[in-house]
């Protein structure tokens, strides 16, 4: 178990550019979540997948954001036409739903996005 | 999910016990109480969870009020590595999305 990994750890981009982040969950976990965290706030839920199906999307996920989880393994989060307000830490988490014990979500270290 | 209320910040001396309170007066009978913490520059990590009974694990203890409207996370001996933001969350299931509030920022004084 190597934990949840995210790539890149840091990304600086100019306003208007597209960016893509990757999350590799713990291998046997069927649920994968994306959260966004701005400075001084708790993380905010964006979306989650069960296997390859995207089951819920937050209202925070505007149409500039898209997330995928092909084959139910790694996931990508793409932001198109970035805005300065997109600057935040993007966190990924995974868990095993439906199998006891399944108490916790494991979070990755996050990708810090800075839009200049 | 039920809302939770926590103090914005708390301080503790190193090697002393810390009691972090949380109010969740609108909790329903089947909601679980979870605690996560977030160390500086890291993603959140699970600490402990419970339903009705008090719970202990290697990290902490969770004391749940009899009416379940409040709970307390207990760190038995605070260390400098326990300085973090602690989040109290009420969830229908352990694997549902986590709705984080602002949490309690714990400072540990050497």
């Amino acid at each position: 178990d190597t934990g949840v990994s995210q790539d890149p750890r840091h990304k600086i981009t100019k306003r208007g550019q597209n960016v893509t982040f990757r999350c590799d969950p713990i291998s046997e976990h069927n649920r994968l979540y994306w959260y966004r965290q701005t400075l001084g706030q708790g993380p905010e839920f964006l979306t989650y997948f069960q296997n390859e199906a995207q089951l819920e999307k937050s209202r925070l996920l505007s149409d500039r954001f898209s997330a995928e989880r092909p084959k139910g393994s790694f996931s990508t989060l793409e932001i198109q036409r970035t805005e300065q307000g997109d600057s935040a830490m993007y966190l990924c988490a995974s868990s095993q739903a439906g199998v006891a014990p399944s108490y916790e979500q494991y979070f990755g270290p996050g990708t810090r996005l800075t839009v200049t | 999910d039920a809302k939770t209320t926590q103090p914005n910040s708390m301080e503790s001396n190193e090697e002393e016990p810390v009691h972090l309170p949380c109010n969740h007066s609108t909790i329903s009978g089947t909601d679980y109480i979870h605690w996560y913490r977030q160390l500086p520059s890291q993603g959140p990590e699970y600490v402990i969870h419970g339903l009705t009974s008090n719970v202990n694990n290697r990290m902490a203890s969770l004391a749940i009020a009899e009416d379940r409207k409040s709970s307390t996370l207990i760190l038995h001996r605070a260390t400098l590595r326990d300085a973090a933001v602690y989040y109290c969350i009420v969830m229908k299931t352990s694997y549902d999305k986590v709705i984080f509030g602002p949490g309690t920022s714990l400072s540990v004084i050497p």
Side-chain angles (χ1 to χ4, degrees):
Chain A
D1 177 357
T2 57
V4 178
S5 60
Q6 293 188 245
D7 184 67
R9 294 292 308 276
H10 303 273
K11 178 73 177 177
I12 300 174
T13 191
K14 290 188 172 23
R15 187 163 50 96
Q17 298 293 304
N18 299 344
V19 293
T20 300
F21 311 139
R22 177 180 170 123
C23 171
D24 286 272
I26 293 171
S27 58
E28 64 269 24
H29 284 181
N30 55 9
R31 283 214 176 181
L32 186 148
Y33 312 77
W34 284 98
Y35 296 84
R36 181 175 71 185
Q37 186 172 27
T38 53
L39 208 58
Q41 305 296 316
E44 298 170 295
F45 168 76
L46 292 178
T47 188
Y48 85 88
F49 294 83
Q50 173 128 343
N51 300 313
E52 64 274 11
Q54 189 172 17
L55 294 188
E56 187 173 347
K57 290 195 284 189
S58 160
R59 285 172 296 174
L60 293 174
L61 213 65
S62 75
D63 55 8
R64 296 185 297 106
F65 287 70
S66 62
E68 292 183 344
R69 194 184 181 197
K71 302 178 187 176
S73 56
F74 71 92
S75 176
T76 57
L77 178 68
E78 182 184 17
I79 309 174
Q80 296 183 324
R81 305 180 303 281
T82 52
E83 302 172 356
Q84 286 187 320
D86 297 331
S87 295
M89 177 76 82
Y90 289 84
L91 292 159
C92 176
S94 70
S95 71
Q96 180 68 353
V99 176
S102 57
Y103 304 129
E104 50 193 292
Q105 292 185 20
Y106 293 81
F107 282 79
T111 294
R112 180 163 296 285
L113 173 67
T114 302
V115 182
T116 61
Chain B
D1 288 327
K3 283 184 73 81
T4 61
T5 305
Q6 299 177 252
N8 289 335
S9 62
M10 291 184 64
E11 262 185 10
S12 172
N13 293 320
E14 196 177 8
E15 298 189 5
E16 288 189 357
V18 184
H19 290 232
L20 296 160
C22 180
N23 287 319
H24 29 78
S25 57
T26 60
I27 193 170
S28 73
T30 55
D31 287 342
Y32 288 85
I33 301 155
H34 281 69
W35 285 80
Y36 280 76
R37 73 178 185 180
Q38 188 171 21
L39 278 63
S41 302
Q42 294 188 27
E45 64 174 343
Y46 167 86
V47 177
I48 200 167
H49 85 287
L51 185 61
T52 55
S53 305
N54 295 344
V55 185
N56 300 297
N57 67 19
R58 62 175 179 81
M59 288 181 73
S61 295
L62 176 60
I64 301 172
E66 202 169 323
D67 64 5
R68 301 207 331 123
K69 292 183 189 296
S70 65
S71 60
T72 303
L73 179 71
I74 303 164
L75 307 179
H76 295 287
R77 278 180 81 240
T79 70
L80 297 178
R81 293 175 58 185
D82 291 322
V85 179
Y86 287 79
Y87 299 100
C88 168
I89 300 133
V90 171
M91 297 167 69
K92 295 254 175 270
T93 66
S94 303
Y95 44 83
D96 203 355
K97 62 182 185 288
V98 182
I99 307 295
F100 290 90
T104 296
S105 178
L106 175 67
S107 303
V108 179
I109 302 165

